[in-house]
Amino acid sequence: MTVWVTRASPGAEATAARLTARGFAAVIAPLLEVRPLSPAIDLTDIQALAFTSRNGVAVFAGLSDDRSLPVFTVGDATARGAADAGFVTVRSAEGDLSALAALIRAEASGLTILSPVAAEPAGDLAALVGNAARVRHVAVYETAETGASPPVAWNAVLIHSPRAARALATVVPRGEGRLAVAISPAAAEPLSDLRFAQVRIASDPTEDALLDALGKPWPAV
């Protein structure tokens, strides 16, 4: 069973490795690419960092050498990325943006927090945190559609974001006989008119749940 990995590198390679370990054949053809930006990073009055993606960690780590601040992350993969980048104090919300906001409200009340995000973020962390803490966003990267063609042969496709789903809809007019697995209901919504044999949605917005929703390999036909 061949699974198309659509997410941007370097996350695509990590996902492909996990698929291979589960017995799938993985083919990488990213529908999105990450383009780093070069904002000025001022940490003068910043007391913590909040990362909503592993891409944000990677790009921010190249913009600032400071690893002294505590870090809050949306999930475990992003937390691992922060630890790998050299941050010592890292707390994972183990969920989605709402879970990250709840963690900040509970453990970082009153702090001034910098959140390195995409130029077009999927959500507004500052709004979700509200008055509990002062969250400042700084755009450190942007995502763009690659226009990549689908693989020659694939049985299933993984969708990690609504943006990737919209990109998929522009290159795959029909998904008959194939399976799509989306990380969230929002990521599944753009797939509704593509006539996939089945669209599954992860129970939680994490890659662990996404891969669990994919299930076990079946023989390719």
Side-chain angles (χ1 to χ4, degrees):
M1 179 180 177
T2 300
V3 181
W4 176 10
V5 180
T6 63
R7 69 185 306 198
S9 294
E13 286 73 18
T15 299
R18 297 188 70 186
L19 287 167
T20 300
R22 290 181 177 224
F24 295 94
V27 56
I28 298 173
L31 293 174
L32 301 175
E33 63 180 358
V34 175
R35 297 176 179 175
L37 303 175
S38 301
I41 302 297
D42 184 3
L43 300 177
T44 302
D45 60 347
I46 300 300
Q47 297 163 296
L49 299 170
F51 291 109
T52 59
S53 73
R54 195 160 186 165
N55 290 327
V57 173
V59 177
F60 178 84
L63 295 171
S64 172
D65 294 329
D66 193 326
R67 301 292 186 269
S68 64
L69 295 172
V71 167
F72 297 91
T73 71
V74 68
D76 291 345
T78 306
R80 287 192 295 271
D84 291 344
F87 291 99
V88 177
T89 304
V90 181
R91 288 280 286 116
S92 171
E94 302 179 3
D96 57 9
L97 199 66
S98 295
L100 177 57
L103 178 64
I104 289 172
R105 290 195 300 269
E107 299 190 9
S109 179
L111 298 187
T112 300
I113 301 169
L114 186 69
S115 181
V117 295
E120 297 181 20
D124 189 341
L125 179 62
L128 291 172
V129 170
N131 295 327
R134 294 172 293 279
V135 178
R136 300 177 185 170
H137 296 154
V138 57
V140 297
Y141 71 95
E142 62 183 2
T143 57
E145 295 186 14
T146 64
S149 299
V152 174
W154 54 283
N155 308 105
V157 60
L158 299 183
I159 300 298
H160 283 74
S161 69
R163 181 77 183 275
R166 293 192 295 272
L168 180 74
T170 66
V171 299
V172 176
R174 294 289 184 268
E176 285 104 333
R178 296 183 171 101
L179 166 68
V181 187
I183 202 165
S184 68
E189 196 279 331
L191 309 178
S192 59
D193 294 330
L194 301 187
R195 299 183 183 178
F196 279 96
Q198 186 179 9
V199 176
R200 298 177 188 170
I201 301 173
S203 59
D204 295 302
T206 65
E207 187 167 85
D208 285 343
L210 183 70
L211 295 181
D212 287 343
L214 176 63
K216 296 181 179 180
W218 69 75
V221 293

